[in-house]
Amino acid sequence: MDEIQLPGPSQQNGSMTKKREDYLEWPEYFMAVAFLSAQRSKDPSSQVGACIVNQENKIVGIGYNGMPNGCNDDLLPWSRSADNRLDTKYPYVCHAELNAIMNKNSADVKGCIMYVALFPCNECAKLIIQAGIKEVVYLSDKYHDTLEMTASRTLLNMAGIQCRQFTPKRTKIVIDFNSINHPGILNSATK
């Protein structure tokens, strides 16, 4: 039987061309998708995104914080504080986690991982548990000491959902729409 020769690294001008080594690893990619989806949020003070990934590293849901479908977001408040709580965004806005679960493109999200910019609040923790998500990867826990986050950690812990804080390898990812027109220029990632 003849041996099959696999092609090696390509030769270009007599030197070896190797694959890129500064590509995004899966966790960076999924957190970046969460942050990119957050850019769809119209909230002037907080843009949060979420990305749900199955065991095969396929994205099965994304979402960002915003007002419910069919509700005119020009007629609802975006304020963080007011004398009357009904004049704030909080009774109305849907969080990124809820939207990612509702926007799923598969039968369910059981056993999936959710990447999210902020540690989930207690209301989102309930949704995450009910949806069967097995792990939450978050970037920021800036509201750690609030009652909602304490309740959230209690619920997630009781349900056996692993939560871990994401530590990025790079602080910034730049999307340059012009890079496709300039082959060989690697300017899509900045460390």
Side-chain angles (χ1 to χ4, degrees), residues 4 10 26 51 55-56 78 81 91 111 123 125 150 160 162 169 174 183:
I4 298 174
S10 63
W26 286 119
C51 176
Q55 297 86 345
E56 299 170 337
W78 288 102
S81 62
E123 294 298 321
T150 300
Q162 181 182 351
K169 290 187 176 181
V174 176

Side-chain angles (χ1 to χ4, degrees), residues 30-189:
F30 298 133
M31 189 60 79
V33 169
F35 270 74
L36 182 61
S37 66
Q39 294 303 303
R40 285 280 308 141
S41 176
K42 296 178 184 176
D43 189 326
S45 59
S46 183
Q47 300 83 44
V48 180
C51 176
I52 303 173
V53 180
N54 70 14
Q55 297 86 345
E56 299 170 337
N57 284 330
K58 293 181 181 173
I59 295 172
V60 296
I62 55 173
Y64 55 89
N65 59 313
M67 297 303 177
N69 291 335
C71 296
N72 186 337
D73 55 25
D74 290 326
L75 302 177
L76 292 169
W78 288 102
S79 177
R80 290 177 65 122
S81 62
D83 290 338
N84 184 344
R85 185 163 164 79
L86 290 176
D87 294 329
T88 70
K89 64 183 178 178
Y90 297 110
Y92 310 104
V93 74
C94 296
H95 287 183
E97 299 93 330
L98 169 111
N99 283 326
I101 292 168
M102 296 303 296
N103 293 336
K104 68 184 186 291
N105 61 10
S106 64
D108 64 39
V109 292
K110 188 172 185 168
C112 290
I113 299 173
M114 178 179 281
Y115 289 81
V116 63
L118 283 175
F119 189 88
C121 72
N122 61 309
E123 294 298 321
C124 290
K126 292 183 245 182
L127 292 167
I128 289 165
I129 292 165
Q130 294 300 86
I133 290 171
K134 71 170 185 173
E135 183 178 357
V136 174
V137 179
Y138 61 93
L139 184 72
S140 174
D141 192 11
K142 67 180 180 178
Y143 300 113
H144 182 274
D145 295 326
T146 65
L147 295 175
E148 291 81 6
M149 297 309 158
T150 300
S152 177
R153 282 190 301 280
T154 299
L155 290 169
L156 293 168
N157 187 45
M158 288 177 77
I161 296 173
Q162 181 182 351
C163 296
R164 64 181 163 93
Q165 191 161 20
F166 177 73
T167 305
K169 290 187 176 181
R170 53 186 97 203
T171 59
K172 188 186 296 188
I173 296 171
V174 176
I175 298 174
D176 179 359
F177 289 117
N178 289 318
S179 66
I180 196 72
N181 295 319
H182 306 286
I185 298 175
L186 299 177
N187 57 0
S188 60

